[in-house]
Amino acid sequence: MARMKFLCDADRCIECQACVTACKNEHEVPWGINRRRVVTLNDGLPGERSVSMACMHCDDAPCAAVCPVDCFYTTADAVVLHNKDTCIGCGYCSYACPFGAPQYPRAANFGTRGKMDKCTYCSGGPEDDMSQAEYVKYGSNRLAEGKLPLCAEMCSTKALLAGDGDIIADIYRERVVTRGYGSGAWGWRTAYGETVSV
Amino acid sequence: MLVKRRTREAAASGRLSQFAAGVAAKPLDRRSFLRASGLTVGGLAALGTLGAGMTRRVEAAGFTDQSQPIEVKTNMCTHCSVGCTVKAEVQNGVWVGQEPAWHSPINRGTHCAKGASVRELVHGDRRIKYPMKKVGGEWQRISWDQAYDEIAEKMGEIRQNSGADSVYLLGSAKFSNEGAYLFRKFAAFWGTNNVDHQARICHSTTVAGVANTWGYGAQTNSYNDIRNAKTVIFMGSNAAEAHPVSMQHILEGKETQNANVIVLDPRFTRTAAHATEFVRFRPGTDIAVIHGMLYHIFENGWEDSDYIAQRVWGMDQVREVVKDYTPDVVEDITGVDGETLKRVAEQFAKERPSTFIWCMGGTQHTVGTANVRAYNILLLATGNVGHEGTGANIFRGHCNVQGATDFGLDVGNLPCYYGLGEGAWRHWSRVWDVPYDYFVDRFDAVPAKGGRDARTPQQNMEVPGITSTRWFDAVTIDAEEIDQQDNIKAMIVFGHGGNTVPRMQDAQRGMDALDLLVVADPHPTTFAALHSRTDNTYLLPICTQFECSGSRTASNRSIQWGEKVVDPIFESDNDYAVIHALSERLGFADEMFKNYEMVEGKFGMEPTPESILREINRGAWSVGYTGQSPERLKAHMAHQEHFDLVTLRAKPDAPAEVQGDYYGLPWPCWGTAELRHPGTHILYNTNLHPMEGGGAFRPRFGLERDGETLLAEGSWPVGSEIEDGYPQFTYGVLRQLGWDEDLTPQELAVIRQVAGGDEEAMDGVSWSLDLSGGIQRVALEHGCVPYGNGKARAVAWNLPDPIPLHREPIYTARPDLVAQYPTNEDRRQQRMPNIGAVVQQDVVERGVASEFPIILTSGRLVEYEGGGEETRSNPWLAELKQDMFVEINPADAQARGIVDGGWVWVTGAEGGSRARVKALVTERVNPGLAFMPFHFAGWFQGEDQRGNYPEGTDPIVLGESVNVITTYGYDPVTGMHEGKVTLCQIAAA
Amino acid sequence: MTRTIFTRIAAALAMVALVATVAPVAQAQVNPTQSAVNEDALFQALGTGGSVSGRVTIPDQASGNLIVPDNKGWAVLQGQTLHTLSIVAVVGMIALLAVFYMLRGKIRIDGGPSGRKILRFNAVERFAHWTLASTFIILALTGLNLIIGKSVILPIVGESAFGTLSAWGKIAHNYLAWPFMAALVLIFLLWVIHNVPSKLDWQWIKMGGGILKKGVHPPARKFNAGQKLIFWAVIVGGAALSWTGIMLLFPAEAGTAADWQFYQTIHALVAAGLSALVIAHIYIGSVGMEGAFDAMGSGEVDENWAKEHHSLWVDEVKSTQARNTAQVQTPAE
C-alpha cells in the first residue's frame, strides 16, 4: 500500500499559487479557508525560496493525538482525514499542527470556529466515495477516482510532488543529483521524522 | 484502496448513543439551515460573517456526479500568452471540473494561479449580466436590441458631425484570432485606422524593433525550446509571476543543461530568486547595460564573426558606437560594475546556445523600440538567432496578443502586417471580395489645419491612426493639434482595461468629455467606473473565450483551437455576434459577412469562427497564416500527446493528419493547408529545409545599403537550390529562375487575376499577394523561403536611433545625465504631438528629482492580469492579494516612519497625483526604488469608487491604480507609454 | 513554556544572523541559486523553539509560519502527559477515598444527632456554593471529557454520539464558565473573612483534622483548616482556570500560539488537581461524614455535629444568639 506524501521542491517553486487556486477550484473552498498556501522565506533576498504547504499527512499525526473527540483517522494510503460530524471545532489540532493546516470557517473567539477544514489529499471524508454528501463536506475525492491531488498535478513548475513517498523522494533525489543543489524536503523531518538525503 | 473510517460505530448501538445522536445532530447541522435559507452563496461580506459550522461549497457548481456522463472540452487559458490547455469537464451544461491537460506539450497539465481558477469565469458572479446604459447617472438594464440601435444611431451622428475617425475602436488581446480579425475588418468597413489593442502597451515596441531587425515581430523560438539553452538572460521579464508555466521549461532546462540563468532587473523578482546571477540596474538604462556587455564582447573578440559576416548587416557601425560605453561610463549610468557585465557577457557569448528573454520591463519605455533593438544586436553579435536554444524569446502578455497583433488590431496595419498602403488595401479588398473604392468611400477627408496639408480619403486611409496610449489626449486636445478631421468623440472599447495606460487623471477627463462610451466586456472595466458620466454610456456583456469557439495564437506563434465549454452565461453574447449585430445596424453587414457561414446564435445570426478562419487562410500569406485550416488546428488539439516536448514536432507514430507538424502550426505555415507545411517552430533557422520549418532572415528593407548587399552571404537554409542570399519571390523572380513552369494553370490564373489581368503587372505579384499560394509552393519546392534570404539589420536606418543610444527617462532620477543623454526630440506621430523633450527639460529645470526622490516602476502579480477586473472578481484569486501595495526598501521605509502593511500615500510628479496604498517593506527593491503592480483600479486618489460599478458587478478587490502616478512619455516609433520609470514620493498615511 | 519564549527569541536572532550571511554584498556576484536557504540550516538555527517563517500574501499572517516543530511538543504534552495526569488525578483520588472509606467508614457524629438544629449557611451562601459547585462539576466533567473522554466514553457510546455529546459539552463548558466565575467571586467575598489562616489551623492539622481517629475533635471556627485549604484551592485554582480559560476563549488576546498552548497546559493541570481535591470535598460532604451534607442542604446542621467539628464557631453562634435574644427580650424603652 502506498504511503502518500507531499514534497515541495523549493528550487522549483516560484510562488505562482496554482496549488492554492487549484485547491479552491477542485473543492470550491470558500473565502478565508486556505487548505494550502505558499510561504516565501527570505523574501527579496538572494536565498529567497518559496514553499507550498498544506497538511503533510504526518506519521503519528499530532492533530489526531490532541483531538478530544478522536475525529481523525488515517487511511490505508496514510492520508490523515477527519470526520466533520464528530469534530467540535475546539481548535486543538490547529495548535498541534506544525504546518498550520487546520482551518476554520470563522474567527476563533468563544470557541465558535465551526468545523475544522483541511487538506484531504483530495480524498474526501468518511461519507461514500464521490458522493455529493462527501463533496459538500470535504470536496471531491480524486484518490477514489484514481487521480492524485490537483494542487500537485497542476503545479506550474512541477515543484509540488504528490504520490507515494518513496517515489516522490526518488524523483526529488534524482533532481538534486542532476542539478547539484537542493534546499531540502521541507517539512519532512517534522512530519515523517526523516528527510530525503542525497 | 481507501480506508474510509475505523469501524467504531459498532459500539454505538447502545441506547445512550442513539439518544445523544438524536438530540444533537440537528442543531449542529447549521449548514443545511443556511443552505435552505439561501445563504450559501454570498458576497464577500457574507463569506466573512455568515459562516456556518461547515465550510460551505456552492453545490452543483463543482460537484461531479461520477455516475452521469461527463463531457470533456478542450480550450486554452484566457490569461497569459503561454497558451496552457484547459480541460473542462461539463455535466448538464455546467462546467463542473478542471482536469490537468497532461498531453499539452506547452503546459503538460499544469497551470498558474490564474489558469487553475479559470472555471470561476463561468460562475461569473460579478460579470455584467445584461446590457446596461447610464441614464441620469444611474445604470439601467436594457435589451440588446435597444443597445445596438442606440449605439449605432449615436455612432452615425458622430460620423455625420465629426467624421469616422472620431470613433475610436479599441479592441482586445482577449479576442480569438477570428474575433480580432473581424474587429479589424469592422474598422475598415467603418472607415478608420483608429483601431488598436493591448499590444500597444505591452509589446508594440518589440514588434517594431524585432521586425525592423530581422523581418517578423514575434518570438523567434518557443518556451519549450528554452530547454536547449545553455545561457538564459531575462531582462525586464519576471516570468515567474507573468508567465509561470514557462518557468517549467526554463527551470528544467536550467537543471538538465546546468544552464546559466541571468536576471537583469531593477528588482529582485521571484524569477531572480531562481537565477544563477542577479544583476540589479537602474530602471530605464537597458541600452547602456547591453552596450556595456557588447563593449566586452567586441573588446575580447567574443562575437561570432562568421555569423555576422553571413547574416548581419551594419555590425561594424555598432562596434564604433559601443566603444563609447566603457565600463566606467556604463557603471555611472546603470549602477552595474564592469566586472559583472564582463562575466555576464562572456557567458552569453561563449556558453551557447544563449537566449534572451524580455518583457514589458524592456518595452514600456520612451526608448522601448531602441531597447528591443539593443537586445537584438546582442543576440546577433553573439550569433544567437536562428537555431535551437537561442533566439529572442519574447514572452507576450495576453492569451492572444500575438494573434490580435497579427490580425492588425493596430493603428498602422491591415491584418498580417500588410501595412496601410494601397497594395495592402487592394489585397484585402480582393480577399474580402469588396471593391477597393468601397473602402475609400468610407474614410474621412481631412482638412488642412495646424500648418499641415489636407488629405483625401484615399490618403487618409493610408495614415496610421491614434495610439491607444493617447486616446484621451485626442479627446481633449485642441482640434488644430490633431491630425484628423476632429477629436475623438466616441470610444468603443471591446475587452480593454482603462487603468493600464499612464496619466489616469487625464484619462478620467477624457472619459468625461466623450459623446459616447461603449464598454463591451465580461466585466465592467475601469472604463465603466472611473468617470462621472451620466448618460451615453453603455455596457455590453460579452462572454469569455470559454463560452465560444475560436483559435488563439500563443506567444510562440503556435495556434490552438479552443472549443466552446458552455453557452454564454446570463445574457452575455460572443464577439462575433455582437460585431455582426453592430455592423447590421451600421449598414455594412451584408458586405462584411458575405464570405462567412452564418448560423443562428443566442440572440441573432452570427458567423462561425471556422468560416472566418478560412477567410484568414485565404488572405494571410505574408505571415503564413494560410496553412492553419480549422481542421488541422482541431486535429492538433485532439492529438496533443503525439508532439515532442522539446522540438514540438509530432512524432513518426503520430496519426497521419498531424504527423511531422509542429504543435499548433506556428506561423509561418506556408501555402495552403493542402501543402501540409509543418509550421515553423524556430524562425530564421537555416539548419532545416524550409518545408521542414527552416527559414532565413527576411530582406524587407531593399537589396543593398551603402553599397553593401542586404542579402545573406554564404548562408542559406538546408536544401536551398539557391546557395546564397536572394530577394523575396515574385512571379517575375520565378520567371527569371525558370521556375514559373512549376506553377499550375489554376495558380497562374489566380496570379493573373491578382495582377488585374495585366500581363506586365504579373511580374510584380509577390508571394504575399498571390492568393493561390503557388509562388510560395514553388519557392518551397526549390528549398527557398518565399520572403527571401537576407541579412538582419544591426543598423535600422529608418528608426529615430538607427543604433540604440542611451537616453535618460523623461522623469529621471539623474538629471545631471540629461544634457548628455537627452530623450528623443519632439515630433508628431500617429496624428498627435509628442512633447517628451519639452517635458524632460521642464523636469530637469524644476528639480523634480529632488522633490520626488524615489524611482517608481511597475509590473505584474501572478494572481492578476492586465487591468485586473476579471481576476479581481474571481474570489479564488482575489483572496490572495487583497490590497494594492507599494514595495519599498526597509531603509526608505524607516526614514519615513513607514511600517510593513501600513497605509502610505504615494504622490506622483504630475498634476498632484496621489494614491493611498499599503506598504510592503522589502529588500526586493533597492533604496531609492519603489514598485507597484498595475492590476488595481476602483480607488482613485483616495476615493473608493465601488459605487460607480453597476450593482453586483464591482470586483471583489479594488485599489488604487499605479497609472494614476505614472507620467508622460511615449516611444517615438510606436507611441508606447513609459510605464516603468517615473518619480514619486512616499509618506506614511 | 517561558522557555519557549526565550528559545523563540534566540531562534529569531539566529534567523537574523542566517539572513545576514546571505544578504547581498555590494558589487559581489549575486548567485541566488547558490545562496538558497535550506531546511537543514534553518532547523539548526531554530534550535528547539520558534518556527520557520516567511511572507504570505493572505491576511492570516500566522500562516506565514511554514513549520512550527514545537507544536508537536505541545501535542505530546496534551495528548499523552496531560491525558495520563488527568486520569491519575481523578482515578487516584477516587481510589484513595475508597481505601479511606474502607478503613475509616463513614464518620459518625460521636454524640449522635441531638435533634437541635443550628443555622450554618444562609440562603445566599448556599446559592453561591451550589452555583459554584454545579457549574464546576459540569465544567470538570466536560473539561475532563476533552482530555480523557475519547478513551473512556467514546468506546462505550460510539463516535457520532460521542461527537455530539462533546459538542454540547464544549458549549456547556464555554458558557457555564461565566456563572462559575461569578459564583467564585461571590464565594470569595462571602467567606474570605472566615478563611484567614490562624494558629488553630496548625493544631487542627496536627490532629489530622480529627477524621483519622474516632473521638478526636480539634477545635475550629466556622471553617477548619481542611475547609480553608479547599477554599483557597478553589479560589486560587478557580482564578487560574478563569484567567487561562478566558485566554483560551479569546485566542487573539492570548498572544501567539505558543502562549495559547501555555495557557491550555496550565488550565488542564489546574483542572486536574482541583478536580481531585473537589472529589475529596464531595466525599467528605456526602458519604464520608454523617451530618455534613446538611450544612449545604438545608443550611442547618445538628448541634452535636457542629460542636464536634466547629466547636468555637458554635460558641460564637451561641453567644451571638444570646445577645440577640437579650436584646429582643429587653425592648428599648
Side-chain angles (χ1 to χ4, degrees):
Chain A
M1 193 58 60
R3 197 290 176 226
M4 294 296 178
K5 290 179 183 175
F6 284 120
L7 194 160
C8 181
D9 179 355
D11 298 291
R12 284 278 186 90
C13 180
I14 55 174
E15 202 222 359
C16 82
Q17 312 263 25
C19 47
V20 176
T21 62
C23 176
K24 291 259 173 189
N25 187 344
E26 181 67 9
H27 307 297
E28 299 258 358
V29 181
W31 183 283
I33 301 283
N34 303 98
R35 287 185 173 188
R36 183 168 276 289
R37 68 195 191 281
V38 184
V39 179
T40 302
L41 307 168
N42 277 5
D43 173 58
L45 296 166
E48 172 186 298
R49 280 292 175 264
S50 299
V51 181
S52 171
M53 186 57 78
C55 174
M56 290 289 281
H57 303 276
C58 300
D59 292 343
D60 300 323
C63 51
V66 300
C67 179
V69 293
D70 217 8
C71 76
F72 291 91
Y73 60 102
T74 303
T75 70
D77 296 310
V79 176
V80 177
L81 297 180
H82 72 296
N83 184 342
K84 284 194 179 184
D85 291 331
T86 312
C87 171
I88 58 170
C90 67
Y92 280 19
C93 51
S94 73
Y95 291 98
C97 178
F99 305 107
Q103 303 283 304
Y104 299 89
R106 279 188 301 267
N109 275 352
F110 233 72
T112 51
R113 294 175 178 86
K115 305 283 188 185
M116 190 272 280
D117 188 90
K118 74 167 189 73
C119 161
T120 64
Y121 207 88
C122 284
S123 51
E127 274 74 9
D128 289 341
D129 282 346
M130 300 180 286
S131 64
Q132 183 146 6
E134 181 185 58
Y135 180 79
V136 168
K137 282 183 201 163
Y138 307 95
S140 58
N141 191 338
R142 298 177 63 81
L143 240 57
E145 293 173 43
K147 299 167 182 166
L148 284 168
L150 196 63
C151 51
E153 291 199 326
M154 281 191 175
C155 173
S156 63
T157 56
K158 302 197 182 283
L160 184 61
L161 307 173
D164 182 75
D166 293 337
I167 297 171
I168 60 175
D170 281 346
I171 293 172
Y172 180 68
R173 210 172 279 125
E174 201 175 309
R175 284 186 190 175
V176 174
V177 168
T178 305
R179 67 195 179 198
Y181 55 89
S183 63
W186 293 87
W188 272 46
R189 87 182 63 224
T190 307
Y192 315 126
E194 58 169 21
T195 190
V196 182
S197 49
V198 180
Chain B
M1 197 198 80
L2 203 59
V3 173
K4 295 304 292 184
R5 65 183 133 187
R6 290 157 294 181
T7 50
R8 293 192 302 193
E9 290 301 331
S13 55
R15 254 182 299 166
L16 177 60
S17 70
Q18 282 171 354
F19 165 75
V23 168
K26 289 247 158 52
L28 275 178
D29 188 18
R30 290 171 59 193
R31 175 181 54 76
S32 42
F33 163 73
L34 284 169
R35 189 169 359 118
S37 58
L39 289 171
T40 48
V41 191
L44 177 57
L47 289 168
T49 57
L50 278 178
M54 296 282 184
T55 48
R56 292 155 294 128
R57 313 204 143 66
V58 184
E59 281 159 67
F63 175 66
T64 312
D65 186 348
Q66 301 291 340
S67 64
Q68 299 297 315
I70 301 168
E71 265 184 289
V72 178
K73 303 278 189 180
T74 307
N75 204 310
M76 295 81 68
C77 177
T78 53
H79 293 294
C80 86
S81 68
V82 173
C84 300
T85 299
V86 170
K87 285 276 179 203
E89 292 184 337
V90 180
Q91 220 165 34
N92 300 321
V94 177
W95 184 354
V96 292
Q98 237 180 293
E99 281 301 313
W102 297 117
H103 296 318
S104 164
I106 291 178
N107 62 313
R108 299 199 297 159
T110 70
H111 284 298
C112 70
K114 297 183 292 291
S117 63
V118 288
R119 189 170 66 88
E120 202 282 338
L121 299 181
V122 302
H123 281 192
D125 278 351
R126 282 165 190 262
R127 290 213 347 215
I128 307 175
K129 317 288 191 296
Y130 33 74
M132 276 185 272
K133 73 166 178 175
K134 249 187 167 176
V135 181
E138 295 297 318
W139 290 106
Q140 273 187 9
R141 178 177 186 166
I142 55 173
S143 70
W144 275 103
D145 278 332
Q146 186 186 347
Y148 290 138
D149 291 343
E150 291 184 14
I151 292 166
E153 191 192 325
K154 293 202 168 74
M155 284 174 74
E157 276 170 27
I158 290 165
R159 185 186 185 91
Q160 201 76 36
N161 300 333
S162 303
D165 280 335
S166 288
V167 175
Y168 198 100
L169 299 169
L170 190 49
S172 181
K174 295 246 175 167
F175 281 144
S176 64
N177 284 328
E178 294 74 21
Y181 171 85
L182 209 58
F183 196 76
R184 182 63 186 89
K185 194 173 170 183
F186 178 86
F189 275 79
W190 170 257
T192 186
N193 292 326
N194 285 333
V195 55
D196 212 346
H197 81 297
Q198 284 93 343
R200 178 69 47 207
I201 56 175
C202 69
H203 274 294
S204 63
T205 48
T206 293
V207 175
V210 174
N212 271 300
T213 304
W214 45 58
Y216 285 110
Q219 180 175 6
T220 59
N221 294 43
S222 72
Y223 297 110
N224 301 62
D225 181 65
I226 301 171
R227 289 169 177 274
N228 291 315
K230 289 268 197 294
T231 300
V232 180
I233 285 188
F234 286 92
M235 193 163 186
S237 161
N238 180 12
E241 296 214 57
H243 306 88
V245 173
S246 73
M247 291 300 283
Q248 178 183 146
H249 303 296
I250 293 158
L251 290 177
E252 281 190 25
K254 174 193 172 195
E255 293 172 10
T256 54
Q257 305 273 3
N258 197 17
N260 309 303
V261 175
I262 302 159
V263 172
L264 300 152
D265 208 292
R267 180 172 165 252
F268 187 82
T269 60
R270 293 285 187 249
T271 314
H274 292 276
T276 55
E277 172 135 29
F278 169 63
V279 181
R280 207 191 278 272
F281 67 97
R282 180 167 67 97
T285 63
D286 300 53
I287 294 166
V289 172
I290 298 292
H291 284 0
M293 288 168 65
L294 283 168
Y295 178 92
H296 293 292
I297 287 169
F298 290 134
E299 191 85 341
N300 295 289
W302 295 333
E303 72 271 25
D304 186 336
S305 308
D306 291 347
Y307 183 91
I308 293 170
Q310 291 175 334
R311 301 188 67 183
V312 185
W313 184 84
M315 194 58 86
D316 287 339
Q317 296 178 50
V318 174
R319 196 185 288 266
E320 289 307 308
V321 168
V322 163
K323 280 185 179 151
D324 294 339
Y325 291 81
T326 61
D328 288 345
V329 168
V330 170
E331 183 165 357
D332 182 40
I333 297 173
T334 67
V336 186
D337 64 295
E339 278 309 304
T340 298
L341 285 183
K342 186 176 180 185
R343 185 169 58 240
V344 170
E346 185 170 9
Q347 283 178 353
F348 194 78
K350 291 164 85 175
E351 296 178 35
R352 293 193 295 172
S354 305
T355 182
F356 196 103
I357 298 164
W358 74 84
C359 286
M360 285 152 65
T363 63
Q364 278 186 351
H365 288 289
T366 46
V367 289
T369 305
N371 277 350
V372 168
R373 291 266 310 131
Y375 308 152
N376 295 349
I377 289 167
L378 177 67
L379 282 162
L380 290 172
T382 53
N384 274 312
V385 185
H387 41 95
E388 289 171 352
T390 69
N393 278 307
I394 304 144
F395 290 1
R396 303 211 56 172
H398 285 51
C399 62
N400 196 31
V401 68
Q402 185 61 50
T405 307
D406 294 336
F407 293 112
L409 290 182
D410 170 25
V411 298
N413 268 305
L414 283 166
C416 302
Y417 311 101
Y418 278 87
L420 293 170
E422 187 182 335
W425 280 103
R426 287 193 182 278
H427 169 73
W428 284 106
S429 300
R430 282 190 291 273
V431 177
W432 294 337
D433 197 15
V434 177
Y436 169 73
D437 290 337
Y438 179 97
F439 295 103
V440 178
D441 285 346
R442 297 295 295 170
F443 274 78
D444 300 337
V446 179
K449 58 176 177 178
R452 298 178 299 273
D453 293 338
R455 288 202 298 268
T456 64
Q458 194 171 2
Q459 286 169 322
N460 191 33
M461 70 196 280
E462 296 178 11
V463 170
I466 297 162
T467 60
S468 67
T469 48
R470 304 296 301 277
W471 71 264
F472 46 87
D473 283 335
V475 177
T476 53
I477 202 169
D478 180 5
E480 279 291 294
E481 282 288 315
I482 189 167
D483 192 13
Q484 60 181 32
Q485 189 182 325
D486 201 350
N487 292 90
I488 299 291
K489 302 286 183 189
M491 285 296 290
I492 313 291
V493 186
F494 272 67
H496 196 301
N499 53 329
T500 47
V501 174
R503 300 169 53 214
M504 277 177 68
Q505 291 177 318
D506 293 312
Q508 190 187 42
R509 282 188 270 274
M511 288 179 196
D512 283 337
L514 287 168
D515 290 346
L516 172 66
L517 174 58
V518 179
V519 178
D521 202 288
H523 292 270
T525 61
T526 316
F527 270 110
L530 180 64
H531 47 75
S532 52
R533 298 175 61 80
T534 55
D535 295 277
N536 296 320
T537 308
Y538 293 83
L539 287 182
L540 303 180
I542 302 289
C543 68
T544 67
Q545 296 298 334
F546 293 112
E547 296 148 82
C548 65
S549 300
S551 69
R552 274 172 279 147
T553 306
S555 194
N556 71 316
R557 295 165 284 108
S558 280
I559 301 149
Q560 302 183 88
W561 186 267
E563 225 182 337
K564 178 163 91 173
V565 175
V566 291
D567 287 328
I569 61 170
F570 307 120
E571 274 183 36
S572 66
D573 207 352
N574 64 49
D575 293 310
Y576 315 125
V578 175
I579 294 171
H580 175 253
L582 266 180
S583 311
E584 245 179 347
R585 303 305 199 285
L586 295 168
F588 48 75
D590 290 346
E591 283 292 328
M592 184 174 156
F593 288 82
K594 65 183 172 189
N595 293 335
Y596 305 140
E597 178 197 1
M598 301 298 291
V599 294
E600 185 67 40
K602 191 171 171 185
F603 298 105
M605 299 302 283
E606 65 183 47
T608 62
E610 286 87 349
S611 63
I612 301 172
L613 180 54
R614 275 186 238 286
E615 184 180 88
I616 293 172
N617 292 154
R618 282 198 299 277
W621 303 98
S622 58
V623 280
Y625 257 109
T626 48
Q628 301 98 334
S629 64
E631 292 74 20
R632 288 184 83 187
L633 294 183
K634 288 176 185 177
H636 278 228
M637 295 306 280
H639 299 297
Q640 287 181 324
E641 68 270 34
H642 295 287
F643 293 88
D644 184 82
L645 174 64
V646 182
T647 66
L648 286 182
R649 198 149 199 201
K651 296 163 194 163
D653 61 348
E657 50 188 332
V658 299
Q659 206 177 85
D661 287 356
Y662 294 99
Y663 178 68
L665 300 168
W667 65 256
C669 176
W670 300 120
T672 59
E674 292 70 39
L675 185 66
R676 286 295 311 268
H677 187 271
T680 307
H681 178 207
I682 296 167
L683 291 174
Y684 323 119
N685 184 357
T686 51
N687 301 321
L688 289 175
H689 190 287
M691 253 324 271
E692 301 288 314
F697 290 132
R698 179 178 173 190
R700 60 189 298 196
F701 308 96
L703 300 181
E704 60 166 44
R705 179 82 183 176
D706 304 340
E708 293 174 33
T709 181
L710 289 172
L711 300 178
E713 294 178 282
S715 160
W716 55 87
V718 168
S720 176
E721 290 180 23
I722 306 174
E723 300 201 329
D724 207 351
Y726 48 86
Q728 66 168 343
F729 279 82
T730 60
Y731 179 68
V733 170
L734 287 190
R735 282 205 308 135
Q736 279 173 3
L737 293 165
W739 295 351
D740 56 325
E741 308 288 310
D742 299 341
L743 289 166
T744 65
Q746 291 86 344
E747 286 165 347
L748 208 54
V750 173
I751 293 169
R752 187 169 291 116
Q753 210 180 343
V754 170
D758 179 350
E759 289 292 330
E760 294 204 355
M762 272 179 74
D763 275 358
V765 174
S766 70
W767 61 283
S768 61
L769 298 178
D770 165 21
L771 298 179
S772 74
I775 296 175
Q776 292 195 0
R777 183 184 61 77
V778 172
L780 290 163
E781 263 175 24
H782 293 276
C784 292
V785 191
Y787 58 66
N789 176 11
K791 280 183 173 174
R793 297 193 303 169
V795 180
W797 55 83
N798 52 325
L799 296 179
D801 283 332
I803 297 168
L805 300 172
H806 172 63
R807 294 183 179 280
E808 278 295 311
I810 290 180
Y811 283 83
T812 175
R814 290 288 304 275
D816 56 309
L817 292 177
V818 169
Q820 200 181 350
Y821 307 106
T823 193
N824 284 284
E825 286 166 18
D826 290 344
R827 67 190 65 222
R828 290 192 64 84
Q829 59 182 103
Q830 288 106 358
R831 306 186 182 183
M832 296 289 286
N834 179 349
I835 55 163
V838 168
V839 176
Q840 189 182 47
Q841 209 47 50
D842 182 55
V843 166
V844 173
E845 282 161 16
R846 284 196 294 127
V848 170
S850 50
E851 196 184 340
F852 297 94
I854 297 178
I855 301 173
L856 177 67
T857 190
S858 67
R860 265 205 196 193
L861 300 175
V862 68
E863 294 86 355
Y864 295 146
E865 200 223 348
E869 263 77 11
E870 187 177 51
T871 39
R872 281 183 287 111
S873 295
N874 181 335
W876 301 334
L877 293 169
E879 188 184 350
L880 303 177
K881 289 268 161 72
Q882 300 183 18
D883 293 294
M884 171 65 179
F885 60 87
V886 58
E887 287 179 6
I888 179 170
N889 184 272
D892 287 334
Q894 199 180 15
R896 289 166 173 76
I898 292 167
V899 294
D900 191 34
W903 289 101
V904 296
W905 281 104
V906 181
T907 46
E910 267 178 13
S913 63
R914 55 190 206 137
R916 187 169 181 270
V917 301
K918 280 195 171 171
L920 196 159
V921 179
T922 174
E923 305 266 1
R924 291 176 210 165
V925 288
N926 253 17
L929 179 69
F931 165 88
M932 288 164 89
F934 56 63
H935 312 288
F936 290 80
W939 284 18
F940 187 69
Q941 309 204 82
E943 173 204 352
D944 182 354
Q945 298 185 316
R946 198 175 280 278
N948 289 5
Y949 293 89
E951 204 186 329
T953 66
D954 49 319
I956 297 169
V957 168
L958 301 180
E960 297 271 3
S961 305
V962 65
N963 283 319
V964 170
I965 306 296
T966 50
T967 48
Y968 197 94
Y970 300 96
D971 180 86
V973 181
T974 73
M976 168 71 85
H977 63 286
E978 176 62 79
K980 298 298 180 198
V981 195
T982 188
L983 296 173
C984 73
Q985 179 59 290
I986 304 176
Chain C
M1 280 292 160
T2 43
R3 180 192 62 90
T4 318
I5 292 161
F6 284 118
T7 48
R8 243 180 301 147
I9 292 165
L13 291 173
M15 287 284 283
V16 170
L18 193 78
V19 165
T21 57
V22 295
V25 184
Q27 303 294 313
Q29 184 182 359
V30 180
N31 185 334
T33 298
Q34 264 178 15
S35 19
V37 291
N38 70 61
E39 207 202 11
D40 290 345
L42 282 185
F43 261 76
Q44 273 163 21
L46 277 184
T48 54
S51 60
V52 177
S53 303
R55 195 185 274 283
V56 285
T57 65
I58 48 178
D60 176 15
Q61 287 307 301
S63 70
N65 295 328
L66 182 70
I67 308 172
V68 191
D70 264 8
N71 281 356
K72 281 175 76 180
W74 178 78
V76 171
L77 190 66
Q78 161 70 21
Q80 294 170 21
T81 315
L82 292 179
H83 181 255
T84 314
L85 263 179
S86 301
I87 292 178
V88 167
V90 173
V91 177
M93 181 55 82
I94 291 171
L96 214 62
L97 292 170
V99 170
F100 179 75
Y101 185 77
M102 280 187 285
L103 294 177
R104 180 72 167 82
K106 192 165 186 164
I107 301 170
R108 300 280 169 191
I109 303 173
D110 286 348
S114 66
R116 287 185 305 278
K117 296 285 178 188
I118 181 168
L119 181 70
R120 180 159 164 76
F121 293 117
N122 64 28
V124 176
E125 288 173 309
R126 277 177 288 145
F127 170 75
H129 175 268
W130 286 116
T131 306
L132 193 70
S134 57
T135 52
F136 182 85
I137 288 167
I138 298 171
L139 288 168
L141 288 176
T142 54
L144 211 54
N145 178 49
L146 292 188
I147 306 265
I148 61 173
K150 61 180 168 186
S151 40
V152 178
I153 303 171
L154 174 64
I156 302 168
V157 301
E159 186 173 337
S160 64
F162 179 64
T164 307
L165 283 174
S166 301
W168 279 106
K170 190 194 77 170
I171 292 167
H173 198 91
N174 290 348
Y175 288 91
L176 290 177
W178 304 94
F180 170 79
M181 287 186 271
L184 189 69
V185 171
L186 196 56
I187 290 279
F188 178 74
L189 295 176
L190 287 171
W191 290 343
V192 65
I193 192 73
H194 301 294
N195 281 287
V196 180
S198 69
K199 273 186 194 152
L200 276 176
D201 298 334
W202 186 234
Q203 194 186 341
W204 190 91
I205 291 167
K206 277 199 289 196
M207 295 173 71
I211 55 172
L212 300 174
K213 232 189 261 172
K214 229 179 152 119
V216 180
H217 296 296
R221 294 183 195 278
K222 180 159 183 170
F223 294 116
N224 61 35
Q227 288 163 326
K228 285 181 183 176
L229 183 73
I230 292 282
F231 175 84
W232 286 112
V234 167
I235 293 298
V236 173
L241 286 173
S242 302
W243 171 247
T244 53
I246 288 170
M247 289 297 114
L248 299 184
L249 281 180
F250 301 98
E253 309 306 314
T256 64
D259 294 332
W260 190 96
Q261 292 167 349
F262 170 72
Y263 291 125
Q264 195 278 338
T265 307
I266 299 299
H267 196 83
L269 282 172
V270 172
L274 201 56
S275 297
L277 206 60
V278 167
I279 289 169
H281 175 69
I282 293 170
Y283 168 82
I284 206 77
S286 54
V287 292
M289 182 182 282
E290 183 183 9
F293 183 79
D294 295 337
M296 275 300 161
S298 61
E300 292 182 327
V301 292
D302 190 274
E303 202 175 292
N304 281 356
W305 177 90
K307 281 179 179 159
E308 283 169 18
H309 298 289
H310 299 277
S311 50
L312 298 174
W313 171 71
V314 174
D315 296 346
E316 280 169 31
V317 172
K318 291 263 166 174
S319 61
T320 312
Q321 267 175 359
R323 266 202 313 278
N324 289 349
T325 316
Q327 276 167 6
V328 170
Q329 281 168 351
T330 31
E333 288 169 1

